[in-house]
């Protein structure tokens, strides 16, 4: 995975605009959470070459809490950690938390 760090509101606005052309993914991760560490490893393992062009944004919840709150507000998704959101046309098409993240079929969004 080529992670794109999500660190500003300006990036979130650009991500939202990009979602009008292609699906984008936001992975909200807590570096202090054991479940989050396990899920991100599982997520990386299931990511294969066919998904290499999918834009995956990495949001560090501890360092960017306000940005995480804005993501939840903008896409109407209650915050959890870890959490994955698939954004297309400025809306969250899918979202999942904890181990359910690995159930999202990302290949359909490539």
């Amino acid at each position: 995975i080529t992670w794109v760090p999500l660190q500003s509101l300006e990036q979130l606005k650009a991500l939202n605009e990009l979602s009008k052309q292609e699906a984008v993914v936001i992975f909200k991760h807590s570096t202090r959470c054991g479940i989050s560490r396990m899920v991100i490893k599982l997520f990386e393992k299931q990511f294969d070459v066919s998904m290499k062009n999918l834009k995956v944004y990495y949001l560090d919840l501890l360092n960017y809490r306000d940005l995480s709150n804005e993501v939840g507000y903008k896409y109407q998704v209650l915050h959890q950690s870890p959490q994955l959101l698939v954004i297309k046309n400025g809306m969250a098409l899918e979202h999942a938390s904890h181990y359910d993240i690995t159930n999202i079929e990302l290949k359909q969004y490539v």
Side-chain angles (χ1 to χ4, degrees):
I1 301 176
T2 303
W3 294 103
V4 179
L6 181 55
Q7 301 173 329
S8 70
L9 286 174
E10 291 74 27
Q11 276 185 292
L12 183 59
K13 288 176 188 172
L15 172 159
N16 198 60
E17 284 302 308
L18 179 61
S19 81
K20 295 174 182 175
Q21 300 165 28
E22 61 189 76
V24 296
V25 175
I26 300 172
F27 191 103
K28 294 168 71 175
H29 177 64
S30 172
T31 55
R32 279 193 235 151
C33 172
I35 292 172
S36 198
R37 279 194 302 274
M38 183 63 74
V39 170
I40 200 168
K41 287 178 185 178
L42 293 171
F43 178 75
E44 288 175 325
K45 280 183 181 179
Q46 77 180 67
F47 207 87
D48 67 32
V49 172
S50 70
M51 297 183 279
K52 69 178 181 178
N53 292 326
L54 189 61
K55 299 257 186 327
V56 182
Y57 291 82
Y58 172 92
L59 178 53
D60 178 337
L61 297 174
L62 299 179
N63 289 318
Y64 299 97
R65 174 60 74 184
D66 290 343
L67 185 55
S68 175
N69 291 340
E70 182 61 26
V71 167
Y73 175 75
K74 182 171 196 60
Y75 299 112
Q76 297 297 292
V77 176
L78 184 65
H79 167 75
Q80 293 190 45
S81 169
Q83 188 170 57
L84 186 80
L85 294 87
V86 179
I87 309 300
K88 180 75 174 137
N89 294 321
M91 298 179 354
L93 293 184
E94 277 194 86
H95 61 89
S97 301
H98 303 95
Y99 290 101
D100 289 338
I101 286 171
T102 59
N103 295 329
I104 292 181
E105 292 291 329
L106 291 178
K107 289 182 183 184
Q108 67 183 315
Y109 299 110
V110 176

